[in-house]
Amino acid sequence: MTRDEIFAKIKDVLTDALGVDDDEVTGSARLQADLGAESIDYLDISFKLEQAFGIKIGQGELFPDGSAQNAGFVKDGRITPDGIDLLKKKLPHVDFAAWEKDPQISKVANLFTVDALVNFVQRKLAA
Amino acid sequence: MRWMWIDRVLSLEPGKRLVAVKNVSLAEEHLHDHFPKDDARALAACPVMPASLMIEGMAQSAGVLVGHATKFQEKVVLAKVSRAEIEADPTPGRTIRYTAEIERMDATGASTKGVIDLLEPFTDAPARTIGRVDLMFAFLDRNLAGLDFPEHNFVFGEGFQTLLRTSGVAEP
């Protein structure tokens, strides 16, 4: 499946799960800030991706399971270098470049864009 | 007893599907307000089962199904109404049938699909599908870590226990 085909299917998943319009779902759109996703929507999106692509998504595989955000990895509202390493290891489909210049824990949600989902599915299908 | 919007569980296939019914009665007070006579607009009273309470009926049907699948160990709460389409108003003397199926389930929650049928007891009229309601449930203790909830499962309290017992559903 090409990246464009994956993107088209993900667009369907997101318009269905989040009730957004087609044209709102761009590669750089952030699930929470731009598309209005709330906590339960992440589970909904996981379920729908499993169904759409015939894949199995483990807990903490697509979205963080909270291990890097626990107190040991947080200092002054920012995730420590060790915590960032852990996040990068667990979430290889996410682009951390812009965020890690000022790794505020309150902005972790901004990392989850439509492109991150496409990367995730692409890696998963290639595995 | 907590408010219950299903009267009886007809069948339960553990982890898969649950069918429940609700009889609509003119004795139910909410029907008198939904909708009352409107003199100003010259409208006669029109008692019908509110669609919002049919969504609740499906949530209870699907919630029991999901709760049963977790042996009632999880606090199963309705987290999202993914879809709700209801195209007819059940009037008193009719029966609403909720068929709920688990679509996906993992350690943190479940999604269900549901069909609402309208039955006309004691007539030859066939059952007809009048709605579809798809829902998402979250397991409270798994999703709001750090918040303290009571140890006992307050979601599946006395009302649901009575419903399952009077419906003849065996404990999981």
Side-chain angles (χ1 to χ4, degrees):
Chain A
M1 201 178 286
T2 66
R3 194 173 169 88
D4 283 350
E5 286 166 340
I6 294 173
F7 180 81
K9 271 192 164 187
I10 287 179
K11 187 180 262 199
D12 288 345
V13 163
L14 294 176
T15 51
D16 190 20
L18 303 176
V20 290
D21 289 332
D22 261 24
D23 57 3
E24 291 178 78
V25 185
T26 60
S28 59
R30 296 162 297 177
L31 299 183
Q32 192 183 78
D34 299 320
L35 303 180
E38 294 177 23
S39 59
I40 192 65
D41 294 321
Y42 292 102
L43 183 61
D44 195 9
I45 290 167
S46 291
F47 282 167
K48 285 187 162 68
L49 290 177
E50 286 186 339
Q51 224 163 13
F53 295 98
I55 54 177
K56 186 79 200 134
I57 303 173
Q59 214 180 329
E61 199 183 345
L62 172 56
F63 301 116
D65 58 6
S67 51
Q69 291 106 304
N70 75 28
F73 289 117
V74 179
K75 205 176 166 215
D76 302 328
R78 288 176 176 76
I79 297 193
T80 63
D82 285 348
I84 295 174
D85 285 345
L86 184 65
L87 276 175
K88 283 183 176 172
K89 210 165 115 193
K90 288 192 164 198
L91 308 166
H93 49 285
V94 172
D95 179 3
F96 291 93
W99 170 81
E100 69 180 324
K101 290 176 194 153
D102 183 21
Q104 292 184 39
I105 190 162
S106 60
K107 293 192 174 157
V108 167
N110 288 343
L111 292 168
F112 296 91
T113 59
V114 176
D115 274 339
L117 296 185
V118 178
N119 294 342
F120 176 81
V121 171
Q122 204 168 23
R123 294 175 70 99
K124 200 82 181 163
L125 291 177
Chain B
M1 196 193 263
R2 160 191 169 144
W3 76 334
M4 298 297 296
W5 292 102
I6 45 182
D7 294 332
R8 184 182 167 202
V9 175
L10 291 184
S11 67
L12 171 62
E13 285 176 58
K16 285 186 186 164
R17 149 203 271 250
L18 180 145
V19 182
V21 287
K22 151 86 185 143
N23 292 318
V24 182
S25 167
L26 201 48
E28 293 173 284
E29 209 143 303
H30 62 279
L31 261 66
H32 297 247
D33 300 318
H34 190 275
F35 298 91
K37 185 176 171 210
D38 185 344
D39 287 330
R41 294 193 291 165
L43 294 172
C46 177
V48 296
M49 177 76 181
S52 53
L53 292 178
M54 287 192 267
I55 296 174
E56 175 64 21
M58 181 60 81
Q60 294 189 357
S61 304
V64 168
L65 173 65
V66 173
H68 187 275
T70 68
K71 300 194 187 325
F72 295 115
Q73 295 303 302
E74 297 293 345
K75 299 179 182 88
V76 178
V77 294
L78 177 63
K80 180 174 177 177
V81 178
S82 306
R83 172 193 192 189
E85 293 168 0
I86 295 169
E87 60 201 40
D89 293 317
T91 48
R94 291 180 168 81
T95 297
I96 301 167
R97 182 172 65 199
Y98 299 107
T99 302
E101 291 185 353
I102 292 178
E103 189 179 37
R104 275 271 193 295
M105 185 163 148
D106 72 7
T108 59
S111 67
T112 63
K113 289 185 101 62
V115 173
I116 301 177
D117 296 316
L118 187 60
L119 283 66
E120 313 232 4
F122 307 110
T123 73
D124 295 330
R128 68 183 171 109
T129 297
I130 61 160
R132 287 185 165 74
V133 178
D134 301 339
L135 305 169
M136 294 271 324
F137 293 89
F139 301 156
L140 211 51
D141 298 324
R142 315 275 169 189
N143 290 280
L144 294 167
L147 291 186
D148 282 332
F149 293 103
E151 192 66 29
H152 76 282
N153 198 332
F154 54 83
V155 176
F156 297 105
E158 192 195 334
F160 280 112
Q161 287 168 22
T162 304
L163 171 76
L164 292 173
R165 183 169 45 76
T166 56
S167 298
V169 174
E171 283 186 24

